[in-house]
Amino acid sequence: SSSSGDESLNDKRARILSRGLPKQKPIEGVKQVVVLASGKGGVGKSTTAVNIALALAANDSTKEVGLLDADIYGPSIPKMMNLKGNPELTPKNLMRPLKNYGIACMSMGFLIEETAPVVWRGLMVMSAVEKLLRQVDWGQLDYLVIDMPPGTGDVQLSVSQNVPIAGAVIISTPQDVALLDARKGAEMFRKVHVPVLGLVQNMSVFQCPKCKHETHIFGADGVRDLAKTLGLDILGDIPLHVNIRESCDSGQPVVIAQPQSDAAKAYLKIAMEIVRRLPVPPA
C-alpha cells in the first residue's frame, strides 16, 4: 500500500540523515551541560550566563561549575569574569581553564588579543568550538554553562549535535522583535531534541533610582506570553538595572558584588529553577 511505502521511505530518509549526524559524546569530567541561548543579540545573554553560573555555585557550595564562552566572534566572558592570559597546557596537551570566583572558564578571548577581530569562515569557527569543548581539562564539573552566540546557526547546531545537553535556557527581552527570534531559538532546540528548561525575561522593568517609578521600556510580559504559546515555563524576571551592567563591565558580576541585591536574588532564583528542571545527573 502507499502508506507502507511512505513509511519505508521515511525510515530510509531517517537512516541516511542519522548517518550524517555526529555521535553525541559527553565532555570528560562534566556531569551536565546547560546552554544559555537567545535568538537575538543584545538581550543580555552573556551577562545572564555569567551570573547564573555564579548563582549555581552560590546556591550549592558542593557543586563545581564551569563556564564556556562559545561566542567565537564576540567573546565577552573574559571581561565579565575579570580574567586575562593564555591557558596553560597539561602534560596531555589539554588547555587548563582560567578560574575566578570559583568558576572554571574557557573562551576564545583567552587565545587571541583583546582587540583582535576573528575573521573566520564557518569551518574554522566549528573547529574552534570543538577545541574549546574537547581540548580542555575541565576537571570534575557538576554543571558546565555554555554561553551560546546569538542566533540559530552553525555553532548552536554543532554543540547540540556533538554534546549531550541536559537543558537549554532561552533569554529574551519583552520586546516584540526579540520575541520573534527567541521563538526561533526555542523551536531550533526542540528540532534537535534538546530539552528547553524555560525562558528568562531580561530587562523586564526599569525602576528610577530617584523616584522608584517603574517603566516597562521594552514592553511588559512579552516573554510570559511567548512561554504560554510554546507551553514552556518562565524561570524568572531580571530587572533593567544599572548595577547589573556596571558590575559585569568591572569584572565583578552582581551575584558576587552585591549578593543581597534584588538583581542578585533574581539570578539565584533562576539558577534554583534551572536545577529543579534538570534530569537526575549520572552518578
Side-chain angles (χ1 to χ4, degrees):
S1 69
S2 63
S3 64
S4 63
D6 288 345
E7 280 173 24
S8 65
L9 186 61
N10 286 336
D11 286 344
K12 192 175 178 183
R13 275 183 191 147
R15 282 199 303 276
I16 292 167
L17 282 170
S18 66
R19 267 186 240 148
L21 288 175
K23 290 279 182 279
Q24 284 190 339
K25 184 178 157 197
I27 302 170
E28 194 168 335
V30 176
K31 285 186 181 175
Q32 292 187 303
V33 174
V34 178
V35 299
L36 267 73
S38 67
K40 191 170 180 56
V43 298
K45 173 185 49 58
S46 293
T47 301
T48 306
V50 164
N51 278 292
I52 282 178
L54 290 163
L56 286 166
N59 281 341
D60 188 343
S61 59
T62 67
K63 302 296 184 189
E64 292 292 331
V65 181
L67 178 60
L68 172 60
D69 187 350
D71 195 340
I72 303 299
Y73 293 117
S76 47
I77 299 303
K79 183 173 180 62
M80 291 182 178
M81 289 295 285
N82 197 24
L83 287 167
K84 273 186 182 176
N86 300 116
E88 294 176 1
L89 291 177
T90 69
K92 291 183 178 177
N93 219 28
L94 298 175
M95 293 181 284
R96 278 204 179 98
L98 275 63
K99 208 163 186 179
N100 198 11
Y101 310 122
I103 307 295
C105 301
M106 184 49 65
S107 170
M108 192 69 199
F110 300 147
L111 307 175
I112 56 169
E113 290 295 321
E114 192 174 19
T115 55
V118 176
V119 188
W120 287 352
R121 292 186 185 276
L123 283 172
M124 292 173 74
V125 172
M126 311 303 285
S127 174
V129 170
E130 180 71 14
K131 283 181 171 64
L132 291 174
L133 284 168
R134 303 283 181 203
Q135 294 183 19
V136 175
D137 180 7
W138 288 106
Q140 296 298 313
L141 295 182
D142 294 284
Y143 308 115
L144 177 62
V145 175
I146 300 183
D147 177 23
M148 291 281 213
T152 54
D154 288 345
V155 173
Q156 288 83 351
L157 283 171
S158 180
V159 173
S160 302
Q161 291 172 351
N162 276 287
V163 178
I165 297 171
V169 176
I170 310 290
I171 317 293
S172 182
T173 63
Q175 187 181 5
D176 286 352
V177 175
L179 292 168
L180 285 171
D181 291 339
R183 179 170 193 155
K184 289 175 192 169
E187 297 290 5
M188 182 210 74
F189 283 118
R190 282 177 165 173
K191 278 191 175 177
V192 293
H193 309 296
V194 170
V196 180
L197 304 177
L199 278 67
V200 171
Q201 182 162 263
N202 198 23
M203 307 182 200
S204 57
V205 65
F206 171 73
Q207 186 183 68
C208 174
K210 291 184 178 175
C211 70
K212 305 300 179 192
H213 175 72
E214 292 191 344
T215 306
H216 294 275
I217 291 174
F218 295 108
D221 291 333
V223 180
R224 291 182 180 281
D225 295 340
L226 176 62
K228 274 183 200 166
T229 304
L230 296 174
L232 294 169
D233 294 336
I234 282 282
L235 302 175
D237 292 75
I238 302 163
L240 177 61
H241 204 292
V242 69
N243 287 2
I244 297 175
R245 194 270 305 163
E246 285 178 346
S247 61
C248 264
D249 280 355
S250 69
Q252 291 184 307
V254 73
V255 168
I256 291 292
Q258 299 166 20
Q260 299 306 315
S261 65
D262 287 345
K265 286 174 183 172
Y267 289 118
L268 291 163
K269 176 184 174 289
I270 290 165
M272 194 170 62
E273 293 296 331
I274 288 170
V275 171
R276 275 184 54 207
R277 288 164 176 78
L278 286 173
V280 177

